Amino acid sequence: MSDAPSELPADLDREAVQSALTEWYEADHRDFPWRRTDDPYEILVSEVMSQQTQLGRVVEAWEAFLDEWPTTADLAAADRADVVGFWTNHRLGYNNRAKYLHEAARQVEEDHGGEFPRTPDGLSELMGVGPYTANAVASFAFNNGDAVVDTNVKRVLHRAFAVPDDDAAFEAAASELMPDGESRVWNNAIMELGGVACGKTPTCDESGCPWRRFCHAYETGDFTAPDVPTQPSFEGSRRQFRGRVVRILGEYDELGLSELGPRVRVDYGGNTGAEWLRGLVDDLESDGLVDVAEGDDGVRVSLAK
């Protein structure tokens, strides 16, 4: 552990944060085929294809590419024009990536005896393999990588733990959080969090974000981030929010407004704070759907009996 000051909150329970994320990921995540392999060649192909290309489009191309050239030896022996042609036909863009992937396969065969380097530094020596891709392959193939820091991870760290918008700060915070020797599951999990729950428009409750109880953005309602310079709008009608209140109260005996609000909408606070929520539950009370009670500890809401 570095002696440099931590970029994470001083009172953060890191073990709880780590367990919450990995348990959430292992319970349910998007089932991309390259997540079911630890073959470095197959993972490298997925990483190269995924650059600037939506993952849903990559699946078919990845499977077809590996059917055509199932090993680095097959790819190294291929005609480069055929590889570039495949890239073009599958609309993967940036044909240089096809050329680099072909050359990297040749390097693996000719310079490394058909075996991939196992470290980020070693993988970075392959043609077209930058630091991010090298670390991803080391993580997912060999469980031997550093903490991944991409745009999604920066967004998550900035929102959850108020990490400053600074590359060095993000690198430090990501490294502090990743459990030792668990780069494969951890890097997959935190990227999944950024891709599924903490996108530009967050879906904290809908996605069951495991970091809600630790999250600065969830507490304050400020979901800006380095790649989200203005507060993202929350799409939803009053009718939808009424339905959400009823559904949430069905899971609890009763809740105070301060407990109910963040469960109803991720941007709870300000113009959509206690006054907005009180109006919503008063409407529901008028319709006979909820009971609203004033007590010494404030307003409590429950489903109508």
Side-chain angles (χ1 to χ4, degrees):
M1 184 67 68
S2 170
D3 292 332
S6 174
E7 298 293 347
L8 298 172
D11 60 349
L12 186 67
D13 185 339
R14 296 181 196 178
E15 288 189 5
V17 167
Q18 292 165 344
S19 297
L21 179 60
T22 54
E23 289 170 8
W24 172 82
Y25 175 77
E26 290 173 341
D28 184 30
H29 60 262
R30 293 173 294 179
D31 185 28
F32 296 118
W34 47 85
R35 286 181 169 171
R36 302 194 297 265
T37 182
D38 59 6
D39 184 307
Y41 171 60
E42 295 180 357
I43 291 169
L44 176 62
V45 173
S46 76
E47 289 294 330
V48 174
M49 285 187 174
S50 299
Q51 296 167 14
Q52 307 299 320
T53 305
Q54 292 181 346
L55 294 181
R57 284 179 47 212
V58 170
V59 174
E60 181 180 351
W62 181 82
E63 291 174 341
F65 190 94
L66 294 175
D67 283 343
E68 186 73 24
W69 302 291
T71 67
T72 51
D74 295 315
L75 183 58
D79 189 302
R80 182 165 296 180
D82 291 338
V83 181
V84 173
F86 177 98
W87 218 258
T88 301
N89 292 339
H90 286 78
R91 298 182 295 114
L92 292 167
Y94 300 102
N95 287 345
N96 279 343
R97 285 186 285 156
K99 297 176 183 178
Y100 293 153
L101 187 56
H102 183 249
E103 183 58 32
R106 285 187 173 179
Q107 287 177 272
V108 169
E109 291 300 312
E110 296 172 7
D111 300 342
H112 298 279
E115 298 290 332
F116 270 78
R118 300 177 68 88
T119 66
D121 286 346
L123 288 159
S124 292
E125 296 177 3
L126 300 179
M127 179 66 71
V129 178
Y132 174 84
T133 300
N135 188 51
V137 175
S139 293
F140 304 142
F142 305 116
N143 199 28
N144 190 36
D146 301 316
V148 164
V149 182
D150 66 358
T151 300
N152 282 346
V153 172
K154 290 178 181 180
R155 186 189 316 119
V156 168
L157 295 177
H158 184 80
R159 284 175 173 167
F161 309 120
V163 175
D165 183 6
D166 173 80
D167 285 348
F170 286 128
E171 294 278 355
S175 296
E176 284 186 74
L177 273 179
M178 187 178 77
D180 291 341
E182 295 187 26
S183 61
R184 177 182 289 130
V185 65
W186 180 261
N187 285 331
N188 265 321
I190 197 169
M191 289 193 296
E192 183 80 350
L193 187 66
V196 170
C198 200
K200 291 188 176 183
T201 298
T203 58
C204 315
D205 298 312
E206 295 88 337
S207 299
C209 175
W211 282 358
R212 283 173 291 180
R213 62 191 173 104
F214 311 105
C215 182
H216 175 77
Y218 193 81
E219 179 182 356
T220 64
D222 180 4
F223 287 88
T224 54
D227 63 331
V228 189
T230 57
Q231 178 68 12
S233 61
F234 188 90
E235 298 297 331
S237 67
R238 188 173 182 83
R239 179 181 177 187
Q240 287 173 316
F241 287 124
R242 282 166 52 97
R244 189 170 296 170
V245 168
V246 171
R247 175 178 58 79
I248 291 167
L249 290 175
E251 300 174 11
Y252 299 88
D253 291 334
E254 66 174 20
L255 290 171
L257 291 184
S258 62
E259 300 167 307
L260 178 61
R263 292 176 169 87
V264 172
R265 60 186 303 160
V266 296
D267 58 349
Y268 180 73
N271 292 332
T272 55
E275 184 177 348
W276 171 86
L277 182 60
R278 181 60 192 267
L280 200 65
V281 298
D282 283 349
D283 285 349
L284 289 167
E285 183 183 34
S286 297
D287 292 340
L289 296 173
V290 305
D291 291 329
V292 181
E294 300 274 1
D296 293 339
D297 57 348
V299 177
R300 308 290 295 180
V301 189
S302 60
L303 286 183
K305 299 296 190 289

